[in-house]
Amino acid sequence: MATEIVRFVATKTVAKPATVEFKTKSGKTVSFKALKTFKKKEIVRFRPHKRK
């Protein structure tokens, strides 16, 4: 007997590089690279197996 393919939308946490730049109180500009995380919707598809 064939099982159906299960599909649903899940959220995946993805990190992408970003440059952070700001000025200090003394007026000096500071910049550095960091990882910005955000949640991305992704469709998940799989065929479930029978449990024993």
Side-chain angles (χ1 to χ4, degrees):
M1 187 165 113
T3 56
E4 293 183 17
I5 296 173
V6 177
R7 276 191 310 237
F8 61 92
V9 178
T11 57
K12 180 180 181 181
T13 304
V14 180
K16 72 178 189 182
T19 304
V20 179
E21 191 172 305
F22 60 92
K23 287 189 176 182
T24 60
K25 288 183 181 178
S26 61
K28 187 178 177 184
T29 303
V30 179
S31 67
F32 57 91
K33 292 188 178 182
L35 289 175
K36 182 179 181 180
T37 59
F38 62 97
K39 296 195 185 259
K40 178 182 173 184
K41 289 184 179 178
E42 192 169 290
I43 298 173
V44 179
R45 289 185 217 99
F46 64 92
R47 189 178 300 255
H49 64 278
K50 289 185 180 180
R51 296 190 176 186
K52 294 182 180 181

